[in-house]
């Protein structure tokens, strides 16, 4: 079996990990976890020599001892176990619990990571206040500060001192220099190359321009019109050529007098402004556009709507997630990012995607609408803004309800009706991965969960509210998908199929199949969980039996109860 060797350092100590090429992802993560001597709830971050965070997975690029990666335990997960520094020895726990019983202290006074997180990250003041309260209660009852409370106070003090002296933890709001109260962005923004580098872009541009004059076969052109299209088979430069084909085959080049060089420059700028993130990247832009393109052909929209509306829809899809940074609106608002401030918490991301689109279109060399009249441009701008803003999922019910209300008397000659349909079409395209073949859709879900989990990790580290469906401790792949398909995807897709019944087989059937697939996966996971719990219980009851037998047979193993004075 071929193996990979990965060289890395952890706490300055050189280590190497060897694992088979087909090693399960979880095993690779566990390997690194044990190298870092990290607990099951600690968060590990692996950096490459350039300082970028890389994914700990079986696909890790093999390296040499000269190009070591760096492994860090960035922070402990705040959800379950007490934090290391607040772990009590057995004796201390017993001592504390006997005091708790005596004075009737509630169990939340156990100092756990959950409380730390709940108290806005590492809120030591809250911790200190609680300790003071605890001390007062105990003092009142016992007359002196017990050693365990004294020890805990010392640990809190020393922890505060450590935190306040570490500059790179300033984003936790604890570094002493942070006196002006301004929000500092998470270090993750700086540590990874979110934006594409100039070199990367130049290379892609050259390759794209070379390829753009090549003829794309009729077979590919037809395949491009179907929701079964597999994006994973195409690299970014080819994707740019395919986008060019869409503009050509919908006759936009001829109808709107778009020069090929301008379209190429526009597509290159679009490529450049999608970031290197797991989900909301250039490939997602392509998938959404390709689904929109497929829907236009499948529903024969060319015969029902003006070309300009189709141009609005396709271009909106191309631009709809420009410069997405991998953190959703809830994060933007909670973290009070520049975008949330700029857009007053109103769809900050979608407003930004739209603004970037018009930045690109402001440049003559990439303005595909430069040969249109003022009125046409105005209509296009209004349409694109409407469509991109409609992709904010918090508006889902509002838009779907509107669509449902006009459906019984839908009229293609009514502009208001067409506007709502355009919003529905971009929404459907945006969340349509599950309408694709399973081998195309499932990797997309993995990418999305990677982006979601990253956000919730950062939310925990920054002491922000954690978005529940992004929390790696709470959701699984099937659990996140069954609810979404049942309550979001199917109700939306079914309404669109009411207007276009031919879509049933193309987008509803595959989504129903996906629902069955994830429902089965959810059941299998549940069975596995139950089996594990059962095995653990069996093992525990065996242990107890053995333990009880040995205790009964040994006077020296009698435990703390045995040393208690006889109160009778
Ligand atoms: C993972 C799941 C989810 N699944 C998808 O297929 C998909 C496509 N787009 N998106 C998706 N989300 C989102 C990307 C940004 C906006 C839409 N998510 C949805 C969430 C977990 O869970 C639910 C479940 C029910 C209702 C609402 C959200
Ligand atoms: Zn999107």
């Amino acid at each position: 079996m071929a193996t990979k060797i990965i060289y890395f350092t952890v706490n300055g100590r050189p280590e190497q990990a060897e694992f088979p090429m087909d090693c399960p992802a979880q095993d690779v993560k566990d390997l690194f976890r044990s190298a870092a001597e990290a607990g099951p709830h600690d968060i590990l971050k692996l950096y490459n020599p350039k300082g970028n965070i890389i994914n700990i997975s079986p696909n890790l690029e093999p390296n040499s001892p000269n190009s070591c990666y760096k492994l860090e335990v960035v922070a402990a997960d705040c959800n379950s176990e007490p934090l290391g520094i607040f772990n009590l020895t057995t004796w201390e726990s017993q001592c504390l619990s006997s005091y708790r019983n005596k004075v009737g202290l509630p169990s939340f006074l156990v100092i756990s990571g959950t409380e730390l997180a709940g108290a806005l990250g590492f809120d030591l003041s809250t911790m200190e206040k609680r300790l003071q309260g605890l001390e007062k209660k105990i003092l009142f009852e016992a007359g002196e500060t017990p050693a365990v409370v004294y020890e805990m106070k010392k640990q809190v003090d020393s922890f505060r001192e450590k935190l306040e002296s570490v500059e790179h933890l300033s984003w936790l709001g604890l570094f002493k220099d942070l006196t002006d109260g301004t929000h500092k962005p998470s270090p993750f923004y700086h540590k990874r190359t979110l934006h594409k580098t100039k070199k990367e872009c130049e290379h892609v541009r050259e390759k794209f321009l070379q390829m753009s004059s090549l003829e794309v076969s009729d077979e590919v052109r037809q395949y491009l019109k179907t929701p079964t299209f597999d994006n994973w088979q195409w690299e970014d430069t080819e994707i740019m050529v395919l986008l060019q084909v869409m503009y050509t085959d919908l006759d936009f080049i001829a109808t709107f007098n778009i020069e090929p060089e301008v379209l190429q420059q526009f597509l290159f700028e679009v490529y450049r402004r999608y970031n290197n993130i797991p989900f909301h990247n250039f490939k997602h832009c392509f998938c959404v556009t390709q689904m929109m393109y497929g829907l236009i052909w499948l529903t024969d929209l060319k015969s029902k709507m003006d070309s300009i509306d189709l141009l609005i829809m396709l271009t909106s899809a191309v631009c709809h997630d420009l410069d997405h940074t991998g953190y959703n609106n809830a994060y933007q608002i909670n973290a009070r990012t520049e975008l949330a401030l700029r857009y007053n918490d109103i769809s900050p991301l979608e407003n930004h995607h739209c603004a970037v689109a018009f930045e690109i279109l402001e440049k003559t060399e990439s303005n595909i609408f430069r040969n249109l009249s003022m009125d046409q441009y105005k209509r296009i701008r209004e349409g694109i803004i409407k469509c991109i803003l409609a992709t904010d999922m918090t508006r889902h019910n509002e838009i779907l309800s509107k669509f449902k209300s006009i459906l019984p008397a839908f009229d293609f000659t009514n502009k208001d009706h067409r506007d709502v349909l355009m919003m529905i079409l971009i929404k459907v395209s945006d969340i349509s991965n599950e309408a694709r073949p399973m081998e195309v859709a499932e990797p997309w879900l993995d990418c999305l969960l990677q982006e979601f989990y990253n956000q919730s990790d950062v939310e925990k580290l920054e002491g922000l509210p954690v978005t529940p469906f992004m929390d790696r401790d709470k959701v699984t792949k099937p659990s996140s998908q069954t609810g979404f398909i049942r309550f979001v995807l199917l109700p939306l897709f079914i309404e669109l199929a009411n207007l276009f019944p031919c879509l049933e087989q193309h987008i509803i059937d595959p989504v129903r199949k996906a629902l069955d697939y994830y429902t089965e996966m959810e059941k299998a996971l549940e069975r596995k969980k139950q089996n594990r719990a059962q095995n653990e219980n069996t093992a525990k009851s065996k242990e107890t039996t053995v333990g009880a037998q040995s205790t009964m047979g040994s006077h020296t193993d009698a435990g703390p109860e045995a040393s208690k004075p006889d109160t009778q």
Side-chain angles (χ1 to χ4, degrees), residues 223 227-233 278-279 283-284 287 290-291 429-450 477-478 480-481 484-485 489 493 506-507 509-515 517-518 521:
Y223 179 38
T228 54
F229 192 90
D230 181 356
N231 69 279
W232 302 113
Q233 307 295 328
F279 184 88
K283 287 190 201 304
H284 169 67
C287 283
Q290 191 270 327
M291 184 58 76
S429 306
D430 193 18
I431 56 175
S432 63
N433 288 330
E434 290 302 342
R436 294 183 182 277
M438 196 49 79
E439 59 286 5
V440 179
E442 199 168 358
W444 273 117
L445 179 58
D446 294 330
C447 294
L448 182 58
L449 290 179
Q450 202 184 328
K477 214 160 127 172
S480 68
Q481 215 53 350
F484 187 67
I485 294 177
L489 282 190
F493 286 19
H506 295 288
I507 60 168
D509 291 352
V511 170
R512 289 217 163 99
K513 238 188 191 167
L515 178 58
Y517 175 77
Y518 286 113
M521 196 189 279

Side-chain angles (χ1 to χ4, degrees), residues 164-309:
E164 288 177 342
S165 61
V166 182
E167 191 165 356
H168 71 261
L169 288 176
S170 59
W171 51 275
L172 282 173
L174 286 158
F175 183 58
K176 282 274 167 62
D177 274 0
L178 254 186
T179 45
D180 61 355
T182 55
H183 173 80
K184 284 253 170 96
S186 146
F188 296 102
Y189 289 120
H190 312 298
K191 284 226 167 120
R192 72 175 184 205
T193 45
L194 182 71
H195 301 297
K196 288 178 176 132
T197 63
K198 222 174 177 176
K199 208 169 146 196
E200 197 179 346
C201 289
E202 279 314 310
H203 175 72
V204 165
R205 186 178 141 86
E206 244 171 61
K207 213 167 156 195
F208 166 51
L209 292 182
Q210 275 168 12
M211 287 173 75
S212 60
S213 54
L214 298 177
E215 196 50 44
V216 176
S217 72
D218 282 344
E219 202 187 341
V220 171
R221 292 181 121 96
Q222 281 311 314
Y223 179 38
L224 192 59
K225 294 175 180 170
T226 69
T228 54
F229 192 90
D230 181 356
N231 69 279
W232 302 113
Q233 307 295 328
W234 306 81
E235 48 179 76
D236 287 350
T237 44
E238 295 169 323
I239 284 178
M240 290 161 87
V241 174
L242 293 172
L243 289 170
Q244 198 177 281
V245 167
M246 295 181 204
Y247 277 81
T248 310
D249 286 3
L250 282 171
D251 290 331
F252 293 158
I253 307 288
T255 313
F256 300 105
N257 191 12
I258 302 173
E259 296 103 320
E261 303 74 39
V262 177
L263 178 59
Q264 282 153 13
Q265 187 60 25
F266 169 75
L267 293 174
F268 169 68
E269 286 293 332
V270 165
Y271 163 79
R272 198 171 72 78
R273 305 281 320 248
Y274 273 96
N275 293 322
N276 289 326
I277 52 176
F279 184 88
H280 289 101
N281 50 37
F282 183 61
K283 287 190 201 304
H284 169 67
C285 141
F286 170 75
C287 283
V288 175
T289 311
Q290 191 270 327
M291 184 58 76
M292 179 67 97
Y293 183 68
L295 293 175
I296 290 174
W297 285 108
L298 289 172
T299 57
D300 192 21
L301 271 194
K302 259 168 93 100
S303 68
K304 301 177 174 77
M305 286 168 83
D306 289 347
S307 264
I308 200 161
D309 284 336

Side-chain angles (χ1 to χ4, degrees), residues 341-352:
L341 288 180
R342 183 175 310 147
Y343 296 110
N344 302 312
D345 296 349
I346 302 165
S347 304
L349 280 178
E350 292 72 21
N351 271 300
H352 180 59

